[in-house]
């Protein structure tokens, strides 16, 4: 890889854009767009590792990338779910890769010949993977890996920030919704705020529904589900 691919100022601007992205998805899309263009790859994706060996493809340049992630999750076989590699996976010839046969067969069927993947690290833990696919055999050198890792480190921080902000917004929205539901109960039945909350909580436990969902139903229908 030539150093001229990205000069210092270009790299600074790209990193600033990553950290300024409005959402997790936008951050991930920027990462794979930059890497695909710079490393001249045919497809790319960002996959997050969720609980219970669940994979979430948060960005992909092609539906084929989503499909190969789905193969891993369905078969519970593949590099994203494996500890059999460190933070870098370079496969110049997928046809010769024998560790994950179902997954590599799926890649070959979709026309992919080579793969460069790097982990998204946070505090020494891999929270996801940036994957880059080529439809022609490729040899990936240390410079290619270094550039992918550079983006991955910044992307990991930006992705965690975006994810936390999304959860924070969801929590704020839930609090607002529950407050609206409490207000309806207080007005209709003359309850005080703590008592109205206890009513919502009781319905939540009785119907095995999240408190947010009970509040949402009450706000939308102006009625609670029957206690049967």
């Amino acid at each position: 890889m030539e150093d001229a691919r990205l000069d210092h100022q270009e790299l600074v601007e790209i990193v600033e854009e990553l950290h300024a992205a409005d959402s997790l998805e936008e951050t991930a899309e920027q990462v794979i767009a930059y890497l695909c263009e710079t490393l001249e790859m045919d497809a790319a994706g960002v996959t997050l590792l969720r609980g219970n060996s669940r994979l979430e493809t948060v960005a992909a340049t092609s539906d084929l990338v989503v499909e190969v992630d789905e193969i891993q999750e369905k078969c519970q076989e593949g590099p994203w779910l494996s500890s059999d590699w460190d933070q870098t996976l370079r496969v110049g010839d997928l046809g010769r890769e024998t560790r994950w046969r179902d997954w590599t067969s799926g890649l070959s069927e979709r026309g992919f010949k080579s793969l460069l993947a790097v982990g998204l690290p946070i505090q020494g833990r891999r929270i996801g993977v940036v994957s880059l696919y080529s439809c022609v055999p490729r040899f990936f050198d240390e410079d290619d890996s270094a550039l992918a890792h550079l983006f991955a480190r910044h992307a990991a921080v930006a992705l965690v920030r975006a994810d936390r902000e999304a959860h924070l917004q969801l929590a704020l929205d839930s609090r607002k919704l529950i407050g609206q539901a409490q207000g309806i109960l207080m007005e209709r039945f003359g309850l005080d705020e703590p008592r109205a909350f206890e009513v919502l909580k009781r319905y939540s436990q009785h119907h095995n529904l999240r408190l947010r969902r009970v509040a949402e139903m009450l706000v939308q229908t102006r009625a609670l589900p029957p206690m049967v």
Side-chain angles (χ1 to χ4, degrees):
M1 183 194 71
E2 297 290 340
D3 290 340
R5 283 184 177 181
L6 281 176
D7 65 25
H8 177 72
Q9 184 57 38
E10 286 177 319
L11 186 57
V12 169
E13 292 174 359
I14 289 171
V15 170
E16 288 177 348
E17 287 182 29
L18 282 180
H19 290 282
D22 292 331
S23 67
L24 184 153
E25 290 79 9
E26 184 179 340
T27 299
E29 288 168 0
Q30 289 180 355
V31 168
I32 56 178
Y34 294 138
L35 286 175
C36 261
E37 179 179 359
T38 305
L39 297 178
E40 299 178 343
M41 302 296 281
D42 296 300
V46 174
T47 307
L48 295 185
L49 309 178
R50 301 302 194 182
N52 299 319
S53 298
R54 185 173 65 86
L55 302 177
E56 180 184 354
T57 310
V58 296
T61 60
S62 165
D63 290 340
L64 298 178
V65 175
V66 178
E67 290 175 12
V68 296
D69 280 353
E70 289 173 346
I71 292 172
Q72 286 196 66
E73 187 169 25
K74 180 179 179 180
C75 299
Q76 287 296 291
E77 175 205 85
W80 306 172
L81 302 173
S82 173
S83 59
D84 194 23
W85 60 289
D86 54 17
Q87 290 298 324
T88 307
L89 181 63
R90 292 184 290 188
V91 185
D93 184 356
L94 285 163
R96 299 172 65 88
E97 176 58 65
T98 60
R99 284 174 289 183
W100 311 289
R101 294 186 183 277
D102 289 340
W103 183 70
T104 51
S105 294
L107 283 169
S108 297
E109 289 170 3
R110 288 158 179 80
F112 296 132
K113 304 297 184 184
S114 301
L115 164 73
L116 171 62
V118 296
L120 288 166
I122 286 292
Q123 298 178 344
R125 181 175 62 91
R126 193 170 72 204
I127 65 166
V129 178
V130 177
S131 52
L132 302 160
Y133 303 92
S134 174
C135 293
V136 296
R138 289 280 300 274
F139 172 78
F140 302 106
D141 60 23
E142 292 297 330
D143 287 337
D144 295 327
S145 297
L147 181 63
H149 274 291
L150 177 62
F151 276 91
R153 284 195 296 271
H154 286 287
V157 173
L159 286 167
V160 168
R161 174 186 57 78
D163 206 17
R164 285 175 178 168
E165 289 179 355
H167 281 88
L168 176 60
Q169 186 59 53
L170 180 62
L172 292 173
D173 291 344
S174 295
R175 181 177 297 180
K176 179 179 179 181
L177 195 61
I178 291 169
Q180 291 175 334
Q182 285 178 272
I184 293 172
L185 293 177
M186 291 165 65
E187 181 180 359
R188 182 174 300 176
F189 300 106
L191 304 176
D192 59 18
E193 187 173 340
R195 181 59 178 161
F197 182 80
E198 285 300 319
V199 170
L200 293 172
K201 185 178 177 181
R202 187 170 75 246
Y203 272 88
S204 170
Q205 294 170 342
H206 183 83
H207 292 277
N208 194 28
L209 294 171
R210 291 184 180 274
L211 187 62
R212 174 190 167 90
R213 178 57 182 150
V214 173
E216 186 177 37
M217 292 170 63
L218 177 56
V219 170
Q220 289 178 349
T221 66
R222 290 298 193 268
L224 286 167
M227 293 282 282
V228 295

